[in-house]
Amino acid sequence: MSFSDKHQCILCDVTSCRYHDQSGHCQLESIKVKPRANCHNGSCDESECGSYSNVGK
């Protein structure tokens, strides 16, 4: 489902990602959050950013 009329702000502290900018914002219009492998404990580390792309790639 797309919410193009909602201007969401995605904040990110992962400076090794190519979409991170100096102000701490993600430059993507949207991100994909995906579950981490073999992690079903209900804590915050159960998910990760599936849109991550290393700066060097």
Side-chain angles (χ1 to χ4, degrees), residues 6-12 23-29 31:
K6 311 256 190 219
H7 300 284
Q8 296 181 342
C9 178
I10 304 169
L11 299 174
C12 180
S23 65
H25 290 90
C26 177
Q27 293 300 300
L28 292 172
E29 290 185 20
I31 63 168

Side-chain angles (χ1 to χ4, degrees), residues 2-56:
S2 177
F3 297 99
S4 61
D5 60 331
K6 311 256 190 219
H7 300 284
Q8 296 181 342
C9 178
I10 304 169
L11 299 174
C12 180
D13 294 329
V14 183
T15 58
S16 64
C17 182
R18 75 171 52 243
Y19 305 114
H20 179 268
D21 74 8
Q22 295 298 320
S23 65
H25 290 90
C26 177
Q27 293 300 300
L28 292 172
E29 290 185 20
S30 65
I31 63 168
K32 179 175 180 81
V33 176
K34 66 180 189 176
R36 293 180 65 184
N38 303 316
C39 184
H40 304 284
N41 60 15
S43 70
C44 66
D45 64 351
E46 188 170 330
S47 62
E48 62 186 23
C49 180
S51 303
Y52 173 83
S53 179
N54 189 293
V55 173

